[in-house]
Amino acid sequence: LPVSPLLSVRNLAVAYGRIRALHGIDLDVEPGRIVSLVGSNGAGKSTTLMAVSGILPLAVGSITFAGEDITKLAPEARVGRGIAHVPERRRVFGGMSVRENLVLGAYSRADATDMEADIAELTQLFPILGKRMSQAAGTLSGGEQQMLAIARGLMSRPSLLIMDEPTMGLAPQMIDLILDTVQAIRARGTTILLVEQNAVEAMRLSDHVYVMRLGRIVHQDSGSNIDPDRVKAFYMGVE
Ligand code: ATP
């Protein structure tokens, strides 16, 4: 039986002033899946994610989430519906402690009584953060800051976690750790929409992959079927 998607994007167009960055994107994310967007710089991956979380307004198109039209909802309202966005470049509040950053991630929740339990659970997923709770976030390593940014996103108890290049600028060992964590998050029941510069890793990890180029989706396939050589050809526009 076909599963109805958690997220559906239809005919999405976004413009920066007079410049169109996206030209009619259609994509679906089914519940419990890891779905990746890959493509070269400027393909429109980050723009797509920001339109889904409401940071950027749509010029055209619609977004349905958990069966409801969220096209016109403000970003905070989308967080309340279960969409969390971990932005590019791991923006944590450097002067605040790890714990304070996590507490901020729960701002959308009316009832904060389970907050300590959630923080304790997240330290199982991110043991390093457990040891650094009262340390200023700005003093963490790049990989640790990325973990904190992800953990902060999870504090809103999202059903969809959007991650924009979580491995950017990290050492190989840390990249492996972050990608393992992405799978662990999915195993806890959270659906994931991921932008990953490291396309080969993204393909290995994902149930479904969309390839973007110049503001369009030019190819898609299941993670197991997708052919890295064809993806490369689509990246470069030779197919
Ligand atoms: P990258 O990996 O480099 O972030 P991307 O695939 O995420 O690439 P976007 O950042 O979404 O691509 O950019 C899509 C297009 O929109 C590009 O042509 C880019 O130059 C343009 N763009 C992005 N941000 C802005 C902005 N703030 N003002 C004007 N144009 C922008």
Side-chain angles (χ1 to χ4, degrees):
L1 243 99
V3 184
S4 54
L6 178 63
L7 174 73
S8 283
V9 172
R10 288 291 173 272
N11 196 31
L12 169 66
V14 171
Y16 293 104
R18 291 166 59 191
I19 300 163
R20 277 278 165 115
L22 299 178
H23 311 271
I25 302 285
D26 291 327
L27 67 86
D28 287 312
V29 179
E30 290 179 352
R33 299 286 167 86
I34 299 176
V35 174
S36 294
L37 309 180
V38 302
S40 53
N41 287 341
K45 307 178 298 295
S46 298
T47 301
T48 303
L49 298 187
M50 289 190 282
V52 171
S53 58
I55 300 165
L56 285 175
L58 280 63
V60 180
S62 65
I63 303 175
T64 308
F65 183 73
E68 289 182 68
D69 187 336
I70 61 161
T71 311
K72 300 221 151 58
L73 285 188
E76 312 80 64
R78 296 186 202 199
V79 176
R81 298 289 172 99
I83 299 178
H85 188 156
V86 184
E88 219 171 343
R89 283 186 279 279
R90 40 184 169 274
R91 297 200 181 82
V92 296
F93 297 98
M96 299 174 102
S97 71
V98 167
R99 175 180 296 279
E100 287 164 338
N101 271 273
L102 291 175
V103 169
L104 280 177
Y107 75 93
S108 68
R109 282 161 52 182
D111 171 13
T113 51
D114 299 330
M115 193 131 70
E116 287 307 319
D118 283 11
I119 290 176
E121 203 197 323
L122 284 174
T123 57
Q124 312 230 301
L125 197 59
F126 301 101
I128 296 171
L129 295 183
K131 297 186 193 126
R132 307 242 189 282
M133 276 296 159
S134 46
Q135 192 171 318
T139 64
L140 300 177
S141 75
E144 290 165 353
Q145 289 189 20
Q146 183 61 64
M147 289 181 192
L148 177 57
I150 296 169
R152 190 178 59 192
L154 290 172
M155 285 298 290
S156 67
R157 295 188 171 177
S159 43
L160 177 68
L161 184 68
I162 296 176
M163 284 188 261
D164 197 346
E165 304 211 11
T167 66
M168 188 165 53
L170 301 181
Q173 232 178 336
M174 190 54 84
I175 292 177
D176 290 345
L177 186 55
I178 297 284
L179 295 178
D180 286 349
T181 305
V182 171
Q183 283 177 298
I185 292 167
R186 188 262 295 276
R188 295 161 86 239
T190 306
T191 305
I192 291 168
L193 177 60
L194 175 72
V195 165
E196 182 53 57
Q197 198 66 46
N198 194 337
V200 175
E201 294 294 342
M203 287 181 245
R204 192 174 304 149
L205 187 74
S206 302
D207 300 295
H208 199 85
V209 178
Y210 289 95
V211 184
M212 294 186 69
R213 189 178 137 74
L214 300 175
R216 293 187 166 82
I217 288 169
V218 291
H219 184 56
Q220 60 171 297
D221 211 333
S222 66
S224 49
N225 279 340
I226 203 150
D227 172 358
D229 290 332
R230 284 198 75 195
V231 168
K232 201 185 287 177
F234 278 110
Y235 257 63
M236 300 186 303
V238 296
E239 185 153 4

